[in-house]
Amino acid sequence: MRLLFLGDMVGKTGRTAVWDRLPGLISDLKLDFVVVNGENAAGGFGITEDIFLETINAGADVVTTGNHVWDQKEAVAFAGRHDQFLRPANYPQGTPGRGSGLFYARNGARVLVANVMGRVFMHPELDDPFKSAEVILDACPLKEQADAIIFDFHAEATSEKQCFGHFVDGRASFVVGTHTHVPTADTQILNGGTAYMSDAGMCGDYDSSLGMDKEEPLNRFISKMPKGRMEAANGPATICGVGVEISDATGLAEKIAPLRLGPRLAETVPEFWR
């Protein structure tokens, strides 16, 4: 199975780049399943229902989120209406929406996608992500109820991300970090067969500070005083993500490599898909 994960869409330039390029990527790379993190898609803060639906219409099978999931008030209302919209699974019981779901890939495979948020340097501090993952895996084990299992681990600390990867190694197909908006160079397959990347990076303008117009964050670092609101940068976007090939026989990873398309960062498409 061929899986593509795209990192956090930031603002209009990030989401439109994904919408423009994703249909062609699905066709050209013969992708079976696509997950996109959309938590910064609405001006850098949260996501609206229209943006979610447009992302699904472009070819995403699931849209994950993170700590900005509720920044747009309408998300509280629409979260429960769409199975393909995920918020972190370790929110307290009774939170709107869902944190995981079982979906069907284009090749007919059953794909469990789970969205979990870390706790180190993160706000709000949610329930234990390791316990939440254990509950999810116990309910839908790999190669029993699911042919592939994907975790979007939305977290700040690389150490927490790495430990989470080792925690589910051999029980999940792929763990990818989101939130820091900077693609890491540690794509690998862990000892137990789980593909891993600490952060997929963002889909947005890299002439920025994490996808936001750089002037206001720079001012705040220098003066310690805000001059205005943070605004999403609107220059040309680079799409960042990661491609994984998963064994149909075992549900574990066979290949992993980054995908980057656009200006500023060196373009790369996984060699095994060329």
Side-chain angles (χ1 to χ4, degrees):
M1 182 173 73
R2 291 186 169 190
L3 161 74
L4 177 66
F5 184 97
L6 296 182
D8 313 42
M9 296 188 296
V10 182
K12 183 177 181 179
T13 189
R15 67 182 188 252
T16 54
V18 170
W19 297 344
D20 289 345
R21 296 295 296 269
L22 187 53
L25 289 171
I26 292 170
S27 175
D28 294 344
L29 303 179
K30 298 179 174 58
L31 300 175
D32 296 304
F33 201 81
V34 177
V35 181
V36 179
N37 187 292
E39 74 140 12
N40 301 115
F45 300 96
I47 185 169
T48 65
E49 187 170 22
D50 285 346
I51 292 173
F52 162 74
L53 292 172
E54 193 70 30
T55 306
I56 294 297
N57 290 338
D61 295 285
V62 177
V63 174
T64 54
T65 56
N67 59 302
H68 288 291
V69 61
W70 310 124
D71 283 6
Q72 301 295 320
K73 292 182 179 179
E74 66 180 87
V76 175
F78 79 75
R81 291 201 291 264
H82 302 288
D83 290 346
Q84 293 164 286
F85 180 80
L86 299 183
R87 46 80 174 162
N90 49 331
Y91 265 98
Q93 187 174 2
T95 302
R98 60 199 305 215
S100 63
L102 192 64
F103 307 93
Y104 284 93
R106 292 168 184 82
N107 65 347
R110 302 163 299 172
V111 182
L112 174 67
V113 183
N115 193 182
V116 181
M117 196 165 103
R119 297 200 292 185
V120 179
F121 308 129
M122 297 293 289
H123 179 79
E125 185 172 313
L126 302 184
D127 297 339
D128 185 344
F130 294 87
K131 289 183 179 178
S132 294
E134 196 70 63
V135 170
I136 291 167
L137 292 170
D138 285 347
C140 193
L142 186 62
K143 296 314 293 179
E144 292 183 24
Q145 279 80 27
D147 299 306
I149 297 177
I150 303 159
F151 279 94
D152 174 349
F153 192 68
H154 196 80
E156 182 75 32
T158 304
S159 57
E160 188 181 22
K161 293 178 178 182
Q162 289 177 336
C163 284
F164 184 86
H166 293 305
F167 180 70
V168 301
D169 186 21
R171 299 186 290 164
S173 311
F174 177 37
V175 173
V176 60
T178 54
H179 180 65
T180 66
H181 294 197
V182 178
T184 55
D186 62 340
T187 50
Q188 60 182 295
I189 297 176
L190 302 177
N191 293 339
T194 296
Y196 175 84
M197 185 180 192
S198 289
D199 203 286
M202 69 173 181
C203 298
D205 178 4
Y206 276 82
D207 184 17
S208 66
S209 175
L210 306 182
M212 308 306 287
D213 186 275
K214 58 194 174 190
E215 295 305 322
E216 180 57 20
L218 181 59
N219 161 68
R220 294 187 188 188
F221 278 116
I222 295 170
S223 72
K224 310 303 180 185
M225 293 289 291
K227 285 185 178 178
R229 297 179 63 234
M230 296 279 196
E231 302 283 349
N234 59 12
T238 297
I239 294 174
C240 284
V242 57
V244 179
E245 284 201 3
I246 297 170
S247 167
D248 294 335
T250 67
L252 296 172
E254 296 181 323
K255 300 174 183 176
I256 179 172
L259 179 142
R260 293 171 197 144
L261 298 172
R264 295 201 167 262
L265 305 186
E267 289 202 351
T268 177
V269 174
E271 287 294 333
F272 48 85
W273 286 350
R274 289 186 184 276

